[in-house]
Amino acid sequence: MLNIVLYEPEIPANTGNIGRTCVATGTRLHLIEPLGFRLDEKSLKRAGMDYWKDLDVTTYIDFNDFMEKNPGAKIYMATTKAPNVYTDVKYEPDCYIMFGKESAGIPEEVLVEHKEDSIRIPMLGDIRSLNLGNSVAIVLYEALRQNGFKGMNLEGHLHRLEWKD
């Protein structure tokens, strides 16, 4: 099972959206405090829709608490400052993919300890970053693809009609 880690997320709608993506993919969500919202906030629940109740989510008081409770975890740091493209690494089935807060990303003090495991999504020019929810979806689905979309529905079905050959 893959793990998404949000380092001090600030916007409840982003976290709600990411929570919904985690439920849809069987991914655990880890939230490192402080959060820019309360977990019972209406906008968080609205973005997560009725899926939030099914989310496997853990909160931590800070980054050190996260590290202490997940010893030996393989962590990829998603950041615009990374030397590696997100498609250039091999995601282990139980790895952690960390994303920073919307306004500042992952602190450089954390990044310097994880250079080889820091990944980026390529972008044009001087664009600061993509939306956090979009970034999580892009990298998470690459990790899922690399792991064969294990346990996921790989075929859809029409409700009223049949596909034509």
Side-chain angles (χ1 to χ4, degrees), residues 26-145:
T27 302
R28 290 185 194 105
L29 180 60
H30 304 264
L31 303 175
I32 298 174
E33 296 177 349
L35 308 178
F37 50 86
R38 292 184 330 274
L39 288 178
D40 62 353
E41 206 162 302
K42 186 177 181 179
S43 56
L44 176 75
K45 305 287 185 185
R46 183 174 37 245
M49 297 184 68
D50 57 342
Y51 299 101
W52 193 260
K53 66 182 176 18
D54 300 319
L55 180 62
D56 182 352
V57 60
T58 304
T59 58
Y60 304 87
I61 58 171
D62 57 25
F63 183 69
N64 290 331
D65 184 38
F66 168 77
M67 294 299 287
E68 288 171 10
K69 291 180 178 168
N70 297 284
K74 177 64 174 179
I75 306 169
Y76 294 97
M77 305 277 177
T79 173
T80 58
K81 302 167 184 83
N84 308 302
V85 175
Y86 77 101
T87 54
D88 291 341
V89 299
K90 174 67 178 132
Y91 298 95
E92 298 81 355
D94 59 349
C95 70
Y96 292 71
I97 308 167
M98 181 179 290
F99 297 81
K101 62 181 161 183
E102 291 89 342
S103 66
I106 300 169
E108 290 187 2
E109 296 76 26
V110 173
L111 293 175
V112 296
E113 301 297 322
H114 299 274
K115 179 181 179 183
E116 295 306 313
D117 299 319
S118 290
I119 55 172
R120 67 178 287 113
I121 299 169
M123 295 178 287
L124 292 175
D126 294 330
I127 300 298
R128 192 172 63 247
S129 66
L130 296 174
N131 171 273
L132 181 60
N134 293 341
S135 297
V136 168
I138 289 168
V139 178
L140 176 58
Y141 268 87
E142 172 62 14
L144 291 164
R145 184 195 67 78

